[in-house]
Amino acid sequence: MTYDADATFVAGSLVVDGASRTDGADGDQARADLAAREVVFDFADMAPGTSHTVQFKARVSGTLPAGTTILGSSASATASSPLQMACAFS
């Protein structure tokens, strides 16, 4: 998942199925590529019908316009379909 140029990845915030993961590319299913502004979750061995919950935090770098509230975002992946994302902002 790529995050916007107006956001900064929060180090140490990668979580897979409730368990913390390291930010580096070290084989634990998750990594943050700061140069590409991208967070990668790798589930190459997912069995059909399984699912995973992934989380990370990003901090908005600039000032949001008055009245703007970030409600949150989420993503889900299943072995039978491509990554699906649902985001809500207002």
Side-chain angles (χ1 to χ4, degrees):
M1 292 179 248
T2 303
Y3 52 93
D4 193 73
D6 291 328
T8 303
F9 172 75
V10 176
S13 68
L14 296 174
V15 176
V16 175
D17 297 328
S20 294
R21 299 293 190 244
T22 60
D23 297 343
D26 53 13
D28 69 358
Q29 297 174 308
R31 66 182 168 86
D33 184 338
L34 301 180
R37 307 191 70 71
E38 181 176 64
V39 174
V40 178
F41 297 95
D42 182 7
F43 301 109
D45 60 352
M46 260 178 98
T50 61
S51 64
H52 293 283
T53 300
V54 299
Q55 298 172 299
F56 73 96
K57 294 179 182 176
R59 184 169 289 114
V60 176
S61 303
T63 302
L64 296 174
T68 302
T69 303
I70 299 175
L71 299 176
S73 64
S74 63
S76 63
T78 63
S80 61
S81 68
L83 178 68
Q84 300 172 2
M85 292 190 73
C87 300
F89 301 96
S90 70

